[in-house]
Amino acid sequence: MTHVLLIAGTAPTLSMLKAAVEQFRAAGATVRLAGYFDREAVDGVLDAADVCSLTESAAERGDAFAKRVAKLPPARRTWASAERNRWVLRNARRSQVLVALDAHGVYTVWRLAERNRRADAVFGVAPGLRALQARGERPVHYVLRDAVRTVPSPAVTLRSTKRGVRHSAGAVLRRASSPAVMRTSIGAKAWRTAVVAPRVPDAMRAKLARRVSLSMAKGGRKTGATMVLNQAAERINNRKLSAALLADAARADLARGHDDPKLRNKAIGAALAIAEQRFKKKDLSAAADQLSTAFALAFNRGLHFDGVSSPMAEDPDAYLAPFRENAAFKALSAPRGRALPAAEAPAGRPLRLLVTTYANAAFLKAIRDRYENHPDVEIRYLDVNEDEKLRPLVRGIKRIMEHALGGQPAFHDKVEEALRPHLDWADTVFVDWCTNAAGIFTAVDPGTTRMVVRLHSYEAFAFWPHVVDFTRVDDLILVSEHLREVVEKVLPQLAGPDTATTHVVPNAMDLVPFKRPKTGPEARFNLGLVGVSAVAKDPRWAVRVLRLLREKDERYRLVVIGEGLPRKAGAAVRAYDDLLQADLAELEAAGAVHLVGQTDDVPAALTEVGVILSSSVRESFHCGLVEGTASGALPVVRDWPFFASLENGPRTLFPGEWVVSTPEEAAERILKLTATEDAWRAATEPAAEHTLERWDWSVVSREFDRLLLGEKA
């Protein structure tokens, strides 16, 4: 059924109206009428439910409105009464033909047609009848035309009056900027045009851009979702609002597993500029908020952890330059120092050692076991994430940053109250991971308690070290020389006076349990990967090595020990894992892959592994490789790309012959040293011996004793 809506600016003559209604009905249409007249003027022509009196509608909205409308020109008066009338708007949306019965109704028909672009908008009964006839003669054409005209004219959302913004934009956005609309190229283009149109108030443009971006993302147009935010930001004069949209755009870009460096840098720069401005005006809360935004973008996990490259690894100085030039960031990282130096180890009683971390004790078991049984040590363990007082204080970085900028005195008092009993008890605090726990422990003066922090490679590419006050840290432990080289580039404040002394101490690993007999000489054809729960492990590099080997000998296969990639982490992880799973499925079907999964007995799983691979792009040390080598497997270490340009790297950490640059070199080393059982054992036995002599806990523990216990070691 075709619907026709008649609009009259004045009361139509009954004979003309009756004839028009009969003609439209004869053409198969239902007819409704709205106009600026009293209902009695059209009695007997249409049912009461099919008529709307705009005169009555104006009166119902109050005397003030009725008087104001009455002063308008007739054409504007009709629209002023119709534009918020639900009956008119509802019937206009469902109509296929909109007909102005007189000149005073033309403007209203035009405005209604902006909202319903599927409808034919005409002036006069005869053109209306012709429009009906055309629809009847070409139904397919009109179905297709109507399908692509689901979006209202962009002008609908661009009215400059406050009333238009309040009452038109919100309703139209909800109805017409849906994901379904955005899936069409016409719909997406129309809304992008609306967002960047001239003379739109900043607040309205921002609201519109966010709504359109969200619908585009839900409609599968994620590139457009980013683009529309970026384009809107460029047309907004309000710096804070523009910066917020740029941040939204950069976050949306990163969330889809993509990185546009130009957009990211622009968003970071905008946030830092406002942070500096607000800092200079002593608005420390706003400054911390903008710094937090800049940090979240610069250290987004998708940039450094969910891919096989990192923009910061290539040139830390260039990457961090915008931060280092910023007054607010300089204040954030300025040394606050401590009132008193750390006291010497106590005489006449055991050393009180507090071992602490934030929700990650993966590398602490051997350390805790040793000092829990040490006669000269009294040890306590604190996970700040499990402490009722500390947990709400360490979650989130903004308050810690605001405090570092000179604000949040109440926050300082709460941290002091929560930490002081631990600091008063301990002679030495050992903080594992330079993240939340290190940030909170250096937010207050530790008094005479000695502070020791261990930093792993993860933190070198995260924001937390930039809020840690290293003038309140006595010793900073790093697990390799190449990690120290990176950290000193990322944190130049470590070269300053009265700051932490850096030490290189390997991870604590009990390697003796890994020294077990292999399942047999055929184990030499099994390549092992231990721990593949991060894209940085780059297991697809190992797959390429396996394919090269199987071109020569199909006895080679890959043994994967550990959990798979965390697909919920983000789009980049899912994209990588999709490719990895396709590789593994193909190879598994050929019997070339064995997925062990998570196991509590890694030494047992390694008994069937004859070659241990480090396929990673980034490692601070790689315990899994060292454990595999201790088990008697042949070590093959990729020259980790994140550190390939440094003076130090895997070639200085491990014997040079272990390290290869390409999958081809890896395959060549494996083929050569596993060709026979004798060649394999001749290569693996010295490697295992070297590993145990250098990195077993029985050796490394003495370095921890020297560092933590001092004279008591």
Side-chain angles (χ1 to χ4, degrees):
M1 179 67 71
T2 304
H3 301 283
V4 174
L5 177 63
L6 308 177
I7 301 293
T10 59
T13 60
L14 283 177
S15 59
M16 183 276 290
L17 178 61
K18 186 174 182 180
V21 171
E22 289 175 352
Q23 287 176 294
F24 282 121
R25 285 176 174 171
T30 62
V31 183
R32 290 178 175 82
L33 169 67
Y36 205 78
F37 49 75
D38 293 331
R39 187 181 297 271
E40 292 78 7
V42 295
D43 275 351
V45 180
L46 291 164
D47 293 338
D50 294 330
V51 177
C52 175
S53 168
L54 296 179
T55 305
E56 295 175 3
S57 176
E60 289 172 358
R61 291 172 61 180
D63 291 341
F65 178 81
K67 289 179 181 178
R68 179 169 61 83
V69 168
K71 296 177 182 179
L72 295 173
R76 301 288 298 190
R77 180 176 61 203
T78 305
W79 172 243
S81 299
E83 68 172 325
R84 293 178 62 186
N85 186 290
R86 293 183 180 180
W87 188 98
V88 173
L89 297 178
R90 182 175 66 252
N91 283 285
R93 284 197 302 272
R94 64 186 300 217
S95 295
Q96 284 77 40
V97 181
L98 302 171
V99 180
L101 292 180
D102 54 44
H104 300 323
V106 171
Y107 181 73
T108 298
V109 165
W110 172 64
R111 293 297 295 268
L112 293 173
E114 286 185 316
R115 285 158 168 74
N116 180 4
R117 296 176 66 214
R118 295 169 299 175
D120 292 293
V122 298
F123 176 25
V125 174
L129 290 170
R130 287 196 294 270
L132 277 179
Q133 183 180 2
R135 284 180 171 270
E137 292 173 350
R138 302 176 64 193
V140 175
H141 167 79
Y142 280 92
V143 167
L144 293 175
R145 195 197 72 166
D146 291 354
V148 298
R149 289 190 176 183
T150 56
V151 183
S153 166
V156 170
T157 60
L158 304 180
R159 305 303 177 195
S160 59
T161 64
K162 292 183 179 180
R163 183 179 60 190
V165 170
R166 280 198 311 268
H167 301 299
S168 264
V172 172
L173 280 173
R174 286 191 295 273
R175 290 193 302 268
S177 64
S178 67
V181 170
M182 296 305 173
R183 291 189 188 100
T184 69
S185 59
I186 293 177
K189 183 178 180 180
W191 282 111
R192 285 200 303 270
T193 301
V195 168
V196 300
R199 297 187 301 277
V200 181
D202 283 352
M204 175 58 193
R205 194 188 299 277
K207 181 179 179 180
L208 182 63
R210 287 186 168 120
R211 172 74 191 201
V212 171
S213 176
L214 179 62
S215 288
M216 281 189 173
K218 290 181 177 179
R221 295 182 177 272
K222 295 186 178 180
T223 302
T226 300
M227 184 187 305
V228 76
L229 291 168
N230 186 17
Q231 291 174 337
E234 292 176 349
R235 288 162 174 79
I236 287 179
N237 294 319
N238 184 299
R239 292 179 62 194
K240 183 178 179 181
L241 198 53
S242 177
L245 284 182
L246 285 173
D248 288 345
R251 277 192 290 266
D253 189 47
L254 292 166
R256 68 186 180 96
H258 182 261
D259 174 41
D260 179 349
K262 184 178 179 180
L263 172 60
R264 167 170 45 83
N265 290 334
K266 185 165 65 171
I268 291 171
L272 288 175
I274 296 177
E276 182 168 70
Q277 177 196 50
R278 301 321 301 166
F279 173 72
K280 290 179 178 179
K281 291 182 178 294
K282 306 300 182 182
D283 186 352
L284 303 183
S285 177
D289 187 57
Q290 294 295 329
L291 280 174
S292 178
T293 296
F295 273 0
L297 293 173
F299 297 102
N300 182 279
R301 62 168 293 148
L303 294 172
H304 311 294
F305 303 107
D306 294 342
V308 293
S309 63
S310 162
M312 193 170 80
E314 298 167 5
D315 189 347
D317 289 329
Y319 190 78
L320 295 171
F323 288 89
R324 293 172 180 170
E325 297 165 359
N326 185 271
F329 180 80
K330 290 178 182 178
L332 181 74
S333 56
R336 284 161 284 164
R338 54 197 299 171
L340 298 170
E344 296 293 329
R349 65 168 175 82
L351 178 87
R352 293 173 179 167
L353 175 65
L354 175 67
V355 176
T356 184
T357 188
Y358 176 82
N360 191 340
F363 295 100
L364 288 175
K365 185 178 185 306
I367 296 172
R368 291 177 62 186
D369 288 347
R370 178 172 183 81
Y371 296 119
E372 282 173 357
N373 297 296
H374 198 292
D376 292 325
V377 177
E378 182 181 352
I379 188 173
R380 288 182 181 176
Y381 175 69
L382 171 68
D383 184 340
V384 296
N385 189 48
E386 296 179 357
D387 185 273
E388 292 184 0
K389 289 185 177 181
L390 287 169
R391 182 170 56 248
L393 299 174
V394 298
R395 290 185 173 178
I397 194 174
K398 181 183 172 183
R399 283 190 301 176
I400 295 178
M401 288 197 300
E402 187 178 346
H403 170 253
L405 291 173
Q408 284 281 357
F411 173 74
H412 174 275
D413 294 344
K414 290 179 181 178
V415 175
E416 174 73 26
E417 180 184 358
L419 285 183
R420 188 51 55 189
H422 299 291
L423 291 168
D424 286 345
W425 175 85
D427 300 309
T428 298
V429 174
F430 174 62
V431 183
D432 199 22
W433 301 92
C434 191
T435 58
N436 309 55
I440 206 73
F441 265 93
T442 60
V444 297
D445 189 329
T448 59
T449 301
R450 184 165 169 240
M451 296 295 302
V452 181
V453 175
R454 181 164 64 173
L455 187 152
H456 303 260
S457 69
Y458 161 81
E459 303 96 287
F461 298 91
F463 56 72
W464 276 107
H466 300 279
V467 299
V468 171
D469 187 351
F470 287 98
T471 61
R472 291 174 172 175
V473 176
D474 297 284
D475 299 279
L476 179 65
I477 299 176
L478 306 158
V479 298
S480 59
E481 287 291 347
H482 66 270
L483 180 58
R484 172 153 64 181
E485 193 174 341
V486 169
V487 168
E488 288 177 348
K489 289 186 177 187
V490 171
L491 301 170
Q493 60 264 43
L494 291 174
D498 302 320
T499 191
T501 302
T502 59
H503 309 266
V504 174
V505 181
N507 276 313
M509 296 176 291
D510 186 3
L511 298 176
V512 173
F514 289 88
K515 194 172 183 181
R516 299 187 187 182
K518 296 297 180 183
T519 54
E522 294 300 307
R524 71 184 190 274
F525 298 108
N526 293 337
L527 318 181
L529 275 181
V530 179
V532 289
S533 59
V535 175
K537 300 292 184 182
D538 200 8
R540 297 195 71 218
W541 190 90
V543 169
R544 291 197 291 274
V545 174
L546 177 65
R547 291 188 187 279
L548 291 169
L549 292 170
R550 286 180 62 81
E551 289 176 3
K552 304 291 185 181
D553 190 334
E554 291 192 352
R555 287 179 292 178
Y556 288 99
R557 67 176 190 153
L558 182 65
V559 178
V560 182
I561 303 169
E563 294 181 352
L565 292 172
R567 292 182 63 85
K568 293 182 179 180
V573 176
R574 290 190 293 275
Y576 184 97
D577 194 45
D578 287 343
L579 297 173
L580 174 63
Q581 293 306 317
D583 288 335
L584 295 179
E586 175 193 344
L587 291 165
E588 195 172 17
V593 169
H594 174 40
L595 302 176
V596 176
Q598 188 67 26
T599 176
D600 293 330
D601 195 350
V602 176
L606 285 170
T607 58
E608 64 172 303
V609 171
V611 178
I612 187 71
L613 297 177
S614 176
S615 58
S616 305
V617 295
R618 167 185 59 82
E619 291 285 353
S620 60
F621 188 80
H622 205 173
C623 294
L625 171 87
V626 172
E627 292 167 351
T629 306
S631 79
L634 176 71
V636 179
V637 184
R638 181 184 186 182
D639 193 4
W640 303 322
F642 274 37
F643 310 124
S645 63
L646 303 179
E647 293 182 11
N648 296 286
R651 295 186 187 277
T652 56
L653 178 60
F654 304 119
E657 64 270 18
W658 293 13
V659 184
V660 298
S661 297
T662 65
E664 290 75 15
E665 287 185 27
E668 181 181 354
R669 172 172 167 80
I670 294 167
L671 288 168
K672 177 182 178 181
L673 297 178
T674 61
T676 66
E677 181 183 354
D678 289 343
W680 173 55
R681 294 196 184 279
T684 57
E685 289 173 2
E689 184 178 349
H690 174 86
T691 298
L692 289 163
E693 289 177 351
R694 184 161 185 176
W695 296 305
D696 183 61
W697 182 229
S698 61
V699 178
V700 174
S701 61
R702 294 196 290 269
E703 296 186 52
F704 270 90
D705 287 350
R706 176 184 55 80
L707 185 58
L708 295 178
L709 307 186
E711 295 180 358
K712 292 181 177 289

